[in-house]
Amino acid sequence: MSPIGGSADEALWRLDASELARLIAQSEISSREAVTSCLARMDAVNGTLNAVVRRFDAEALAAADAADAMRARGEALAPLHGVPITVKCNIDQKGHPTDGGVGAYRDLVADSDNPVVSNLRAAGAVIIGRTNTPSYSMRWHTENALHGATLNPWRADITPGGSSGGAAAAVAAGIGPIAHGNDIAGSVRYPAYCCGLVGLRPSYGRVPSSNATAKGLASISSQLMAVQGPLTRNVRDCELAFDAMARPSVRDPRCVVPAPFPADSGPLRVALVSKPRNAVVDHGVTAAVISAGRALEAAGVIVEEVEPPDLAAVGDLWSKLAVADVMAGLQPLIAENGDDGIRRAVALWAEVFPRYSAADTLTALGERLLALRNWQVFFETYPVVVMPCSYAPPLPVGFDVQNAAETARVLAAQSPLMAISVLGLPGLAVPTAPHDGIPSGVQVVSGRFREDLCFRVGAIIEASFDRATPLDPRPTGAY
Protein backbone atom coordinates (compact mmCIF):
# COMPACT_ATOMS: atom_id res chain seq x y z
CA MET A 1 0.00 0.00 0.00
CA SER A 2 1.35 3.41 -0.87
CA PRO A 3 0.34 6.97 0.02
CA ILE A 4 -2.81 8.08 -1.77
CA GLY A 5 -3.24 11.51 -3.34
CA GLY A 6 -1.30 14.73 -2.72
CA SER A 7 2.20 14.63 -1.31
CA ALA A 8 3.38 11.57 0.58
CA ASP A 9 3.34 13.50 3.87
CA GLU A 10 -0.26 14.65 3.38
CA ALA A 11 -1.45 11.12 2.61
CA LEU A 12 0.13 9.31 5.55
CA TRP A 13 -3.04 9.61 7.63
CA ARG A 14 -4.76 7.36 5.09
CA LEU A 15 -2.43 4.44 5.76
CA ASP A 16 -3.10 1.66 8.23
CA ALA A 17 -0.96 1.05 11.30
CA SER A 18 0.76 -2.00 9.83
CA GLU A 19 1.93 -0.04 6.81
CA LEU A 20 2.99 2.98 8.86
CA ALA A 21 5.01 0.75 11.18
CA ARG A 22 6.71 -0.89 8.20
CA LEU A 23 7.57 2.44 6.54
CA ILE A 24 8.93 3.86 9.79
CA ALA A 25 11.00 0.75 10.53
CA GLN A 26 12.50 0.86 7.04
CA SER A 27 13.30 4.58 7.32
CA GLU A 28 11.04 5.41 4.37
CA ILE A 29 9.17 7.89 6.57
CA SER A 30 9.69 9.24 10.07
CA SER A 31 7.38 8.94 13.03
CA ARG A 32 7.27 12.75 13.12
CA GLU A 33 5.91 12.74 9.56
CA ALA A 34 3.24 10.18 10.43
CA VAL A 35 2.21 12.00 13.60
CA THR A 36 2.22 15.39 11.86
CA SER A 37 -0.01 14.02 9.11
CA CYS A 38 -2.57 12.65 11.60
CA LEU A 39 -2.52 15.89 13.58
CA ALA A 40 -3.17 17.80 10.35
CA ARG A 41 -6.06 15.46 9.62
CA MET A 42 -7.36 16.21 13.12
CA ASP A 43 -7.20 19.91 12.26
CA ALA A 44 -9.21 19.26 9.10
CA VAL A 45 -12.06 17.09 10.46
CA ASN A 46 -12.25 17.17 14.25
CA GLY A 47 -13.98 20.54 14.34
CA THR A 48 -16.90 18.84 12.62
CA LEU A 49 -16.78 15.47 14.39
CA ASN A 50 -15.66 16.32 17.95
CA ALA A 51 -14.11 12.86 18.20
CA VAL A 52 -10.89 13.92 19.97
CA VAL A 53 -11.59 16.08 23.02
CA ARG A 54 -8.03 16.56 24.24
CA ARG A 55 -5.02 16.78 21.94
CA PHE A 56 -1.39 17.25 22.84
CA ASP A 57 0.68 18.08 19.78
CA ALA A 58 3.88 18.94 21.63
CA GLU A 59 3.84 15.76 23.73
CA ALA A 60 3.08 13.60 20.69
CA LEU A 61 5.75 15.21 18.52
CA ALA A 62 8.32 14.82 21.29
CA ALA A 63 7.46 11.11 21.50
CA ALA A 64 7.72 10.84 17.73
CA ASP A 65 11.15 12.48 17.76
CA ALA A 66 12.27 10.04 20.47
CA ALA A 67 11.03 7.16 18.31
CA ASP A 68 12.96 8.48 15.33
CA ALA A 69 16.11 8.85 17.45
CA MET A 70 15.79 5.20 18.56
CA ARG A 71 15.57 4.09 14.96
CA ALA A 72 18.57 6.24 14.00
CA ARG A 73 20.61 4.58 16.75
CA GLY A 74 19.74 1.17 15.39
CA GLU A 75 17.80 0.06 18.46
CA ALA A 76 15.28 -2.78 18.31
CA LEU A 77 11.85 -1.46 17.32
CA ALA A 78 8.54 -2.57 18.81
CA PRO A 79 5.61 -3.55 16.53
CA LEU A 80 3.86 -0.14 16.72
CA HIS A 81 7.05 1.92 16.75
CA GLY A 82 6.18 5.55 16.01
CA VAL A 83 2.56 4.87 15.01
CA PRO A 84 0.00 7.52 16.08
CA ILE A 85 -3.01 6.32 18.11
CA THR A 86 -5.74 7.72 20.36
CA VAL A 87 -6.86 6.75 23.87
CA LYS A 88 -10.35 7.05 25.35
CA CYS A 89 -10.76 9.70 28.03
CA ASN A 90 -12.13 7.29 30.67
CA ILE A 91 -8.83 5.53 31.44
CA ASP A 92 -5.71 6.87 33.11
CA GLN A 93 -3.03 8.46 30.97
CA LYS A 94 -0.27 10.09 32.97
CA GLY A 95 -0.51 13.86 33.06
CA HIS A 96 -4.05 14.07 31.67
CA PRO A 97 -7.52 14.12 33.23
CA THR A 98 -9.53 10.93 33.45
CA ASP A 99 -12.79 12.83 33.12
CA GLY A 100 -14.95 10.16 31.46
CA GLY A 101 -17.13 12.91 30.01
CA VAL A 102 -18.08 14.17 33.48
CA GLY A 103 -17.57 17.83 34.35
CA ALA A 104 -16.94 17.08 38.03
CA TYR A 105 -13.83 15.09 37.02
CA ARG A 106 -12.32 17.58 34.59
CA ASP A 107 -9.36 18.12 36.94
CA LEU A 108 -8.86 14.46 37.93
CA VAL A 109 -5.34 14.21 36.50
CA ALA A 110 -3.72 10.77 36.48
CA ASP A 111 -0.21 10.40 37.88
CA SER A 112 0.34 7.02 36.19
CA ASP A 113 -0.78 5.14 33.09
CA ASN A 114 -3.46 2.48 33.05
CA PRO A 115 -1.69 -0.84 32.20
CA VAL A 116 -3.27 -0.92 28.73
CA VAL A 117 -1.78 2.52 28.03
CA SER A 118 1.58 1.30 29.33
CA ASN A 119 1.34 -1.68 26.98
CA LEU A 120 0.59 0.52 23.98
CA ARG A 121 3.51 2.79 24.81
CA ALA A 122 5.79 -0.24 25.24
CA ALA A 123 4.71 -1.38 21.79
CA GLY A 124 5.98 1.93 20.43
CA ALA A 125 2.69 3.75 19.85
CA VAL A 126 2.54 7.56 20.01
CA ILE A 127 -0.61 8.91 21.66
CA ILE A 128 -1.90 12.01 19.85
CA GLY A 129 -5.17 12.64 21.70
CA ARG A 130 -7.99 11.45 23.94
CA THR A 131 -11.39 10.55 22.53
CA ASN A 132 -14.90 11.35 23.64
CA THR A 133 -17.27 9.16 25.63
CA PRO A 134 -20.75 9.68 27.10
CA SER A 135 -20.97 10.74 30.73
CA TYR A 136 -19.91 7.79 32.90
CA SER A 137 -19.48 5.80 29.65
CA MET A 138 -22.92 4.27 30.07
CA ARG A 139 -24.76 5.11 26.85
CA TRP A 140 -24.73 3.64 23.34
CA HIS A 141 -24.51 7.21 21.99
CA THR A 142 -21.57 9.57 22.59
CA GLU A 143 -22.34 13.00 23.98
CA ASN A 144 -21.89 14.78 27.29
CA ALA A 145 -22.22 18.24 28.76
CA LEU A 146 -18.45 18.57 29.28
CA HIS A 147 -17.20 17.91 25.75
CA GLY A 148 -20.36 17.90 23.63
CA ALA A 149 -21.58 15.37 21.06
CA THR A 150 -19.47 13.31 18.66
CA LEU A 151 -20.80 12.98 15.12
CA ASN A 152 -20.65 9.90 12.92
CA PRO A 153 -18.52 10.75 9.87
CA TRP A 154 -20.87 8.71 7.66
CA ARG A 155 -23.96 10.76 8.52
CA ALA A 156 -24.51 13.31 11.23
CA ASP A 157 -28.05 12.06 11.92
CA ILE A 158 -27.00 8.54 12.97
CA THR A 159 -25.13 7.72 16.16
CA PRO A 160 -21.40 7.03 16.12
CA GLY A 161 -22.22 4.54 18.86
CA GLY A 162 -21.10 4.49 22.43
CA SER A 163 -19.44 4.50 24.64
CA SER A 164 -16.32 4.46 22.43
CA GLY A 165 -17.98 6.69 19.84
CA GLY A 166 -15.18 9.24 19.83
CA ALA A 167 -12.66 6.46 19.22
CA ALA A 168 -14.69 5.09 16.31
CA ALA A 169 -15.31 8.46 14.65
CA ALA A 170 -11.61 9.32 14.91
CA VAL A 171 -10.44 6.13 13.20
CA ALA A 172 -13.17 6.21 10.55
CA ALA A 173 -12.15 9.76 9.58
CA GLY A 174 -8.41 9.12 9.58
CA ILE A 175 -7.35 10.63 12.92
CA GLY A 176 -4.95 7.79 13.67
CA PRO A 177 -5.26 4.18 12.46
CA ILE A 178 -5.80 2.67 15.94
CA ALA A 179 -8.03 3.81 18.79
CA HIS A 180 -8.27 2.37 22.27
CA GLY A 181 -11.79 1.63 23.55
CA ASN A 182 -13.51 -0.37 26.26
CA ASP A 183 -16.57 -2.61 26.31
CA ILE A 184 -18.98 -3.79 28.99
CA ALA A 185 -22.15 -4.14 26.89
CA GLY A 186 -20.93 -3.44 23.36
CA SER A 187 -18.98 -0.19 23.77
CA VAL A 188 -16.23 -1.22 21.31
CA ARG A 189 -18.28 -3.37 18.94
CA TYR A 190 -21.28 -1.05 18.59
CA PRO A 191 -19.26 2.06 17.63
CA ALA A 192 -17.24 -0.08 15.21
CA TYR A 193 -20.51 -1.32 13.70
CA CYS A 194 -21.92 2.22 13.44
CA CYS A 195 -18.77 3.66 11.83
CA GLY A 196 -17.81 0.86 9.43
CA LEU A 197 -14.81 -0.37 11.40
CA VAL A 198 -13.26 -3.47 12.92
CA GLY A 199 -13.57 -3.53 16.70
CA LEU A 200 -12.51 -6.25 19.15
CA ARG A 201 -13.95 -7.12 22.51
CA PRO A 202 -11.19 -9.47 23.77
CA SER A 203 -11.77 -12.47 26.00
CA TYR A 204 -12.31 -11.61 29.64
CA GLY A 205 -8.91 -11.39 31.31
CA ARG A 206 -6.75 -10.97 28.21
CA VAL A 207 -6.04 -7.21 28.38
CA PRO A 208 -5.13 -5.60 31.73
CA SER A 209 -6.79 -2.48 33.08
CA SER A 210 -6.57 -0.55 36.32
CA ASN A 211 -7.24 3.14 36.96
CA ALA A 212 -5.33 4.54 39.93
CA THR A 213 -7.74 7.49 39.86
CA ALA A 214 -10.69 5.17 40.57
CA LYS A 215 -11.69 4.92 44.20
CA GLY A 216 -13.88 2.33 45.86
CA LEU A 217 -14.60 -1.28 44.94
CA ALA A 218 -15.28 -2.59 41.46
CA SER A 219 -18.85 -3.67 40.76
CA ILE A 220 -19.74 -7.26 39.91
CA SER A 221 -20.61 -6.28 36.35
CA SER A 222 -17.31 -4.48 35.88
CA GLN A 223 -15.34 -7.37 37.35
CA LEU A 224 -17.02 -9.87 35.03
CA MET A 225 -17.64 -7.96 31.82
CA ALA A 226 -15.54 -4.79 31.41
CA VAL A 227 -12.66 -5.20 28.93
CA GLN A 228 -10.29 -3.01 26.89
CA GLY A 229 -9.99 -3.40 23.13
CA PRO A 230 -8.95 -1.75 19.85
CA LEU A 231 -10.88 -0.13 16.98
CA THR A 232 -9.19 -0.13 13.58
CA ARG A 233 -9.96 0.12 9.87
CA ASN A 234 -8.97 -3.46 9.07
CA VAL A 235 -8.46 -6.84 10.69
CA ARG A 236 -4.67 -6.96 10.48
CA ASP A 237 -4.39 -3.71 12.42
CA CYS A 238 -6.85 -5.01 15.00
CA GLU A 239 -4.71 -8.10 15.55
CA LEU A 240 -1.58 -5.95 15.77
CA ALA A 241 -3.21 -3.65 18.35
CA PHE A 242 -4.61 -6.55 20.38
CA ASP A 243 -1.20 -8.21 20.57
CA ALA A 244 0.22 -4.93 21.88
CA MET A 245 -2.52 -4.53 24.50
CA ALA A 246 -2.55 -8.13 25.73
CA ARG A 247 0.44 -8.11 28.06
CA PRO A 248 -0.35 -9.09 31.67
CA SER A 249 -0.01 -6.67 34.55
CA VAL A 250 0.16 -7.33 38.29
CA ARG A 251 -2.22 -4.37 38.71
CA ASP A 252 -5.09 -6.41 37.22
CA PRO A 253 -5.63 -9.72 39.05
CA ARG A 254 -8.04 -10.88 36.33
CA CYS A 255 -5.21 -11.14 33.78
CA VAL A 256 -4.46 -14.54 32.32
CA VAL A 257 -2.13 -15.84 29.64
CA PRO A 258 -3.74 -18.81 27.89
CA ALA A 259 -1.79 -21.98 27.13
CA PRO A 260 -1.10 -22.58 23.44
CA PHE A 261 -3.96 -24.21 21.57
CA PRO A 262 -3.39 -27.33 19.46
CA ALA A 263 -3.13 -26.73 15.73
CA ASP A 264 -6.50 -26.77 14.00
CA SER A 265 -7.06 -29.75 11.75
CA GLY A 266 -9.50 -30.08 8.90
CA PRO A 267 -11.72 -27.40 7.38
CA LEU A 268 -13.06 -24.64 9.57
CA ARG A 269 -16.75 -24.91 10.51
CA VAL A 270 -18.77 -21.75 11.18
CA ALA A 271 -22.23 -21.39 12.69
CA LEU A 272 -24.23 -18.67 10.94
CA VAL A 273 -26.99 -16.86 12.85
CA SER A 274 -28.90 -14.77 10.31
CA LYS A 275 -32.40 -15.16 11.77
CA PRO A 276 -32.17 -15.64 15.55
CA ARG A 277 -35.15 -17.20 17.24
CA ASN A 278 -37.47 -14.93 19.23
CA ALA A 279 -35.81 -11.76 17.88
CA VAL A 280 -37.02 -8.91 15.68
CA VAL A 281 -34.20 -8.47 13.15
CA ASP A 282 -33.92 -5.78 10.51
CA HIS A 283 -33.73 -7.22 6.99
CA GLY A 284 -30.48 -5.34 6.35
CA VAL A 285 -28.90 -7.02 9.38
CA THR A 286 -29.96 -10.44 8.12
CA ALA A 287 -28.60 -9.62 4.67
CA ALA A 288 -25.22 -8.66 6.15
CA VAL A 289 -24.90 -11.97 7.99
CA ILE A 290 -25.92 -13.93 4.89
CA SER A 291 -23.41 -12.04 2.74
CA ALA A 292 -20.66 -12.81 5.26
CA GLY A 293 -21.64 -16.48 5.16
CA ARG A 294 -21.41 -16.53 1.37
CA ALA A 295 -17.95 -14.96 1.51
CA LEU A 296 -16.82 -17.67 3.91
CA GLU A 297 -18.29 -20.45 1.78
CA ALA A 298 -16.49 -19.06 -1.26
CA ALA A 299 -13.24 -19.33 0.71
CA GLY A 300 -13.84 -23.01 1.51
CA VAL A 301 -15.23 -22.59 5.02
CA ILE A 302 -18.05 -24.95 6.05
CA VAL A 303 -20.99 -22.71 6.97
CA GLU A 304 -24.19 -23.97 8.60
CA GLU A 305 -27.22 -22.00 9.76
CA VAL A 306 -27.35 -23.00 13.43
CA GLU A 307 -27.83 -20.99 16.63
CA PRO A 308 -25.73 -21.35 19.80
CA PRO A 309 -27.55 -22.47 22.96
CA ASP A 310 -30.10 -20.07 24.47
CA LEU A 311 -28.84 -16.94 22.70
CA ALA A 312 -31.75 -14.75 23.80
CA ALA A 313 -31.64 -15.99 27.41
CA VAL A 314 -27.92 -15.28 27.63
CA GLY A 315 -28.54 -11.73 26.45
CA ASP A 316 -31.12 -11.32 29.20
CA LEU A 317 -28.52 -12.28 31.81
CA TRP A 318 -26.72 -8.97 31.24
CA SER A 319 -29.42 -7.01 33.01
CA LYS A 320 -29.66 -9.54 35.84
CA LEU A 321 -25.91 -9.24 36.48
CA ALA A 322 -25.45 -5.53 35.83
CA VAL A 323 -28.55 -3.48 36.51
CA ALA A 324 -28.62 -3.84 40.28
CA ASP A 325 -24.94 -2.84 40.25
CA VAL A 326 -25.55 0.17 38.04
CA MET A 327 -28.54 1.39 39.96
CA ALA A 328 -26.93 0.93 43.37
CA GLY A 329 -23.47 2.23 42.57
CA LEU A 330 -23.81 4.57 39.61
CA GLN A 331 -27.20 6.21 40.06
CA PRO A 332 -26.16 8.29 43.09
CA LEU A 333 -23.10 9.54 41.18
CA ILE A 334 -25.21 10.33 38.14
CA ALA A 335 -27.72 12.19 40.31
CA GLU A 336 -24.89 14.30 41.72
CA ASN A 337 -22.58 14.76 38.73
CA GLY A 338 -24.31 13.45 35.60
CA ASP A 339 -25.65 15.49 32.72
CA ASP A 340 -29.20 15.50 31.41
CA GLY A 341 -28.47 12.82 28.80
CA ILE A 342 -27.12 10.17 31.15
CA ARG A 343 -29.80 10.94 33.76
CA ARG A 344 -32.52 10.48 31.16
CA ALA A 345 -30.98 7.31 29.67
CA VAL A 346 -30.47 5.61 33.04
CA ALA A 347 -33.93 6.66 34.24
CA LEU A 348 -35.38 4.90 31.19
CA TRP A 349 -33.30 1.82 32.01
CA ALA A 350 -34.79 1.85 35.49
CA GLU A 351 -38.26 2.11 33.98
CA VAL A 352 -37.76 -0.72 31.49
CA PHE A 353 -35.61 -3.26 33.33
CA PRO A 354 -37.22 -5.50 35.96
CA ARG A 355 -36.31 -4.86 39.59
CA TYR A 356 -33.75 -7.54 40.26
CA SER A 357 -32.74 -8.50 43.79
CA ALA A 358 -29.40 -9.70 45.14
CA ALA A 359 -30.81 -13.22 45.02
CA ASP A 360 -31.59 -12.77 41.31
CA THR A 361 -28.00 -11.70 40.68
CA LEU A 362 -26.62 -14.70 42.54
CA THR A 363 -28.85 -17.01 40.50
CA ALA A 364 -27.72 -15.26 37.32
CA LEU A 365 -24.09 -15.99 38.19
CA GLY A 366 -24.90 -19.70 38.18
CA GLU A 367 -26.88 -19.36 34.96
CA ARG A 368 -23.92 -17.58 33.37
CA LEU A 369 -21.54 -20.43 34.21
CA LEU A 370 -23.97 -23.00 32.81
CA ALA A 371 -24.44 -20.96 29.62
CA LEU A 372 -20.68 -20.59 29.17
CA ARG A 373 -20.22 -24.33 29.54
CA ASN A 374 -22.92 -24.98 26.94
CA TRP A 375 -21.34 -22.52 24.48
CA GLN A 376 -17.89 -24.02 24.99
CA VAL A 377 -19.36 -27.45 24.12
CA PHE A 378 -21.00 -25.87 21.06
CA PHE A 379 -17.62 -24.49 19.96
CA GLU A 380 -16.28 -28.05 19.86
CA THR A 381 -18.43 -28.54 16.74
CA TYR A 382 -18.61 -24.97 15.48
CA PRO A 383 -15.43 -23.14 16.54
CA VAL A 384 -16.70 -19.79 15.22
CA VAL A 385 -20.11 -18.09 15.20
CA VAL A 386 -20.99 -15.31 12.76
CA MET A 387 -23.98 -13.35 14.06
CA PRO A 388 -25.36 -9.81 14.22
CA CYS A 389 -23.74 -7.08 16.26
CA SER A 390 -27.14 -5.50 16.75
CA TYR A 391 -30.53 -6.56 15.43
CA ALA A 392 -31.07 -3.00 14.17
CA PRO A 393 -29.04 -0.83 11.78
CA PRO A 394 -27.10 2.07 13.33
CA LEU A 395 -29.72 4.10 15.16
CA PRO A 396 -30.61 7.80 14.78
CA VAL A 397 -29.20 10.35 17.19
CA GLY A 398 -31.38 10.61 20.31
CA PHE A 399 -32.54 7.00 20.23
CA ASP A 400 -31.68 6.27 23.87
CA VAL A 401 -33.36 9.27 25.51
CA GLN A 402 -36.80 9.19 23.87
CA ASN A 403 -39.20 7.07 25.91
CA ALA A 404 -39.57 3.72 27.63
CA ALA A 405 -40.97 1.94 24.58
CA GLU A 406 -38.01 2.96 22.40
CA THR A 407 -35.54 2.04 25.14
CA ALA A 408 -37.12 -1.42 25.41
CA ARG A 409 -36.81 -1.84 21.64
CA VAL A 410 -33.17 -0.76 21.69
CA LEU A 411 -32.29 -3.09 24.56
CA ALA A 412 -33.82 -5.99 22.63
CA ALA A 413 -31.85 -5.02 19.54
CA GLN A 414 -28.57 -4.89 21.47
CA SER A 415 -29.04 -8.35 22.97
CA PRO A 416 -26.34 -10.03 20.81
CA LEU A 417 -23.79 -7.50 22.04
CA MET A 418 -24.73 -8.06 25.67
CA ALA A 419 -24.78 -11.86 25.35
CA ILE A 420 -21.11 -11.97 24.38
CA SER A 421 -20.24 -9.60 27.23
CA VAL A 422 -21.99 -11.91 29.70
CA LEU A 423 -20.01 -14.92 28.51
CA GLY A 424 -16.66 -13.12 28.44
CA LEU A 425 -15.99 -14.37 24.91
CA PRO A 426 -14.05 -12.59 22.17
CA GLY A 427 -16.32 -10.69 19.79
CA LEU A 428 -15.05 -9.01 16.62
CA ALA A 429 -17.17 -6.46 14.76
CA VAL A 430 -16.38 -6.63 11.03
CA PRO A 431 -17.93 -4.33 8.39
CA THR A 432 -19.72 -5.66 5.32
CA ALA A 433 -21.21 -3.66 2.45
CA PRO A 434 -23.09 -0.51 3.54
CA HIS A 435 -26.88 -0.88 3.58
CA ASP A 436 -29.06 2.05 2.54
CA GLY A 437 -25.97 4.25 2.63
CA ILE A 438 -24.94 3.56 6.23
CA PRO A 439 -22.51 1.03 7.70
CA SER A 440 -23.44 -2.59 8.19
CA GLY A 441 -21.54 -5.54 9.56
CA VAL A 442 -21.42 -8.71 11.58
CA GLN A 443 -20.03 -10.01 14.86
CA VAL A 444 -17.53 -12.88 14.79
CA VAL A 445 -17.40 -14.87 18.05
CA SER A 446 -15.28 -17.80 19.19
CA GLY A 447 -14.35 -19.65 22.37
CA ARG A 448 -12.40 -18.14 25.22
CA PHE A 449 -8.96 -16.86 24.19
CA ARG A 450 -9.56 -17.77 20.53
CA GLU A 451 -9.15 -14.27 19.19
CA ASP A 452 -7.00 -15.91 16.51
CA LEU A 453 -10.06 -17.61 15.04
CA CYS A 454 -12.02 -14.36 15.12
CA PHE A 455 -9.23 -12.64 13.18
CA ARG A 456 -8.97 -15.52 10.72
CA VAL A 457 -12.67 -15.47 9.89
CA GLY A 458 -12.87 -11.68 10.03
CA ALA A 459 -10.09 -11.35 7.46
CA ILE A 460 -11.96 -13.63 5.04
CA ILE A 461 -15.15 -11.59 5.41
CA GLU A 462 -13.30 -8.29 5.06
CA ALA A 463 -11.59 -9.39 1.84
CA SER A 464 -14.97 -9.75 0.13
CA PHE A 465 -16.08 -6.15 0.60
CA ASP A 466 -14.70 -2.80 -0.51
CA ARG A 467 -13.13 -0.79 2.29
CA ALA A 468 -14.97 2.48 2.92
CA THR A 469 -12.76 4.17 5.52
CA PRO A 470 -11.09 6.55 6.08
CA LEU A 471 -13.68 8.98 4.81
CA ASP A 472 -14.44 12.69 4.97
CA PRO A 473 -17.29 13.74 7.27
CA ARG A 474 -20.56 13.79 5.34
CA PRO A 475 -23.61 16.00 5.91
CA THR A 476 -26.92 14.56 7.07
CA GLY A 477 -28.43 12.25 4.49
CA ALA A 478 -25.45 12.32 2.10
CA TYR A 479 -23.77 9.09 1.06
Side-chain angles (χ1 to χ4, degrees), residues 192-280:
Y193 172 67
C194 291
C195 293
L197 301 175
V198 176
L200 175 69
R201 175 197 164 83
S203 302
Y204 168 84
R206 282 298 280 121
V207 176
S209 181
S210 177
N211 276 348
T213 56
K215 307 303 178 186
L217 302 176
S219 64
I220 291 174
S221 54
S222 175
Q223 291 181 53
L224 289 176
M225 296 188 285
V227 301
Q228 313 295 314
L231 297 95
T232 62
R233 294 193 289 267
N234 59 43
V235 172
R236 73 170 183 172
D237 273 8
C238 199
E239 186 168 8
L240 181 66
F242 167 67
D243 287 343
M245 292 179 171
R247 298 289 185 270
S249 168
V250 294
R251 291 173 56 194
D252 188 344
R254 300 171 299 173
C255 262
V256 294
V257 178
F261 287 95
D264 295 318
S265 60
L268 183 62
R269 190 180 297 269
V270 168
L272 199 72
V273 186
S274 64
K275 296 179 180 178
R277 293 187 298 273
N278 305 317
V280 177

Side-chain angles (χ1 to χ4, degrees), residues 389-473:
C389 283
S390 171
Y391 294 146
L395 294 162
V397 171
F399 68 93
D400 63 338
V401 291
Q402 290 186 20
N403 53 56
E406 180 64 8
T407 292
R409 186 181 78 84
V410 167
L411 290 170
Q414 306 297 64
S415 179
L417 292 167
M418 294 189 287
I420 305 311
S421 294
V422 165
L423 296 174
L425 299 174
L428 183 72
V430 180
T432 55
H435 182 74
D436 290 339
I438 60 175
S440 189
V442 297
Q443 182 177 199
V444 180
V445 180
S446 193
R448 288 187 301 169
F449 314 126
R450 294 311 306 262
E451 286 83 2
D452 61 314
L453 292 179
C454 292
F455 293 135
R456 177 180 166 188
V457 169
I460 296 171
I461 295 170
E462 160 183 272
S464 298
F465 301 96
D466 292 334
R467 193 173 304 165
T469 57
L471 74 167
D472 292 326

Side-chain angles (χ1 to χ4, degrees), residues 343-416:
R343 287 174 182 162
R344 174 65 173 163
V346 171
L348 289 170
W349 282 22
E351 189 173 343
V352 169
F353 279 129
R355 300 288 181 177
Y356 294 117
S357 66
D360 293 325
T361 301
L362 289 174
T363 299
L365 287 169
E367 293 171 339
R368 172 186 176 273
L369 186 63
L370 176 61
L372 181 56
R373 184 186 70 187
N374 292 339
W375 276 57
Q376 289 291 117
V377 171
F378 181 84
F379 286 131
E380 290 289 299
T381 304
Y382 302 97
V384 179
V385 178
V386 175
M387 59 188 285
C389 283
S390 171
Y391 294 146
L395 294 162
V397 171
F399 68 93
D400 63 338
V401 291
Q402 290 186 20
N403 53 56
E406 180 64 8
T407 292
R409 186 181 78 84
V410 167
L411 290 170
Q414 306 297 64
S415 179

Side-chain angles (χ1 to χ4, degrees), residues 63-411:
D65 289 342
D68 291 332
M70 287 179 62
R71 182 192 59 191
R73 292 191 297 268
E75 296 183 25
L77 305 184
L80 290 175
H81 187 86
V83 175
I85 70 165
T86 58
V87 167
K88 193 173 173 182
C89 71
N90 67 350
I91 69 164
D92 286 353
Q93 181 182 340
K94 186 177 180 179
H96 299 284
T98 308
D99 60 59
V102 180
Y105 309 143
R106 71 176 75 216
D107 298 320
L108 185 63
V109 176
D111 59 12
S112 62
D113 284 337
N114 185 294
V116 71
V117 175
S118 298
N119 284 350
L120 288 165
R121 290 195 202 273
V126 175
I127 304 170
I128 62 173
R130 288 170 70 75
T131 55
N132 204 14
T133 183
S135 178
Y136 287 102
S137 300
M138 287 300 293
R139 293 176 62 186
W140 280 300
H141 174 63
T142 298
E143 67 174 341
N144 58 69
L146 176 61
H147 298 304
T150 294
L151 301 187
N152 190 322
W154 285 76
R155 281 176 48 161
D157 59 343
I158 63 170
T159 182
S163 62
S164 304
V171 173
I175 308 175
I178 293 172
H180 154 270
N182 31 52
D183 188 312
I184 193 172
S187 286
V188 164
R189 293 161 290 156
Y190 189 58
Y193 172 67
C194 291
C195 293
L197 301 175
V198 176
L200 175 69
R201 175 197 164 83
S203 302
Y204 168 84
R206 282 298 280 121
V207 176
S209 181
S210 177
N211 276 348
T213 56
K215 307 303 178 186
L217 302 176
S219 64
I220 291 174
S221 54
S222 175
Q223 291 181 53
L224 289 176
M225 296 188 285
V227 301
Q228 313 295 314
L231 297 95
T232 62
R233 294 193 289 267
N234 59 43
V235 172
R236 73 170 183 172
D237 273 8
C238 199
E239 186 168 8
L240 181 66
F242 167 67
D243 287 343
M245 292 179 171
R247 298 289 185 270
S249 168
V250 294
R251 291 173 56 194
D252 188 344
R254 300 171 299 173
C255 262
V256 294
V257 178
F261 287 95
D264 295 318
S265 60
L268 183 62
R269 190 180 297 269
V270 168
L272 199 72
V273 186
S274 64
K275 296 179 180 178
R277 293 187 298 273
N278 305 317
V280 177
V281 186
D282 182 87
H283 70 280
V285 171
T286 296
V289 176
I290 291 172
S291 68
R294 288 173 179 159
L296 292 167
E297 286 180 326
V301 176
I302 298 171
V303 178
E304 297 180 33
E305 185 79 43
V306 58
E307 188 171 316
D310 303 316
L311 177 58
V314 176
D316 290 342
L317 285 178
W318 191 94
S319 59
K320 295 180 181 179
L321 291 169
V323 171
D325 262 359
V326 169
M327 298 309 170
L330 193 55
Q331 241 179 345
L333 293 173
I334 289 173
E336 181 178 359
N337 301 317
D339 55 34
D340 290 343
I342 188 63
R343 287 174 182 162
R344 174 65 173 163
V346 171
L348 289 170
W349 282 22
E351 189 173 343
V352 169
F353 279 129
R355 300 288 181 177
Y356 294 117
S357 66
D360 293 325
T361 301
L362 289 174
T363 299
L365 287 169
E367 293 171 339
R368 172 186 176 273
L369 186 63
L370 176 61
L372 181 56
R373 184 186 70 187
N374 292 339
W375 276 57
Q376 289 291 117
V377 171
F378 181 84
F379 286 131
E380 290 289 299
T381 304
Y382 302 97
V384 179
V385 178
V386 175
M387 59 188 285
C389 283
S390 171
Y391 294 146
L395 294 162
V397 171
F399 68 93
D400 63 338
V401 291
Q402 290 186 20
N403 53 56
E406 180 64 8
T407 292
R409 186 181 78 84
V410 167
L411 290 170

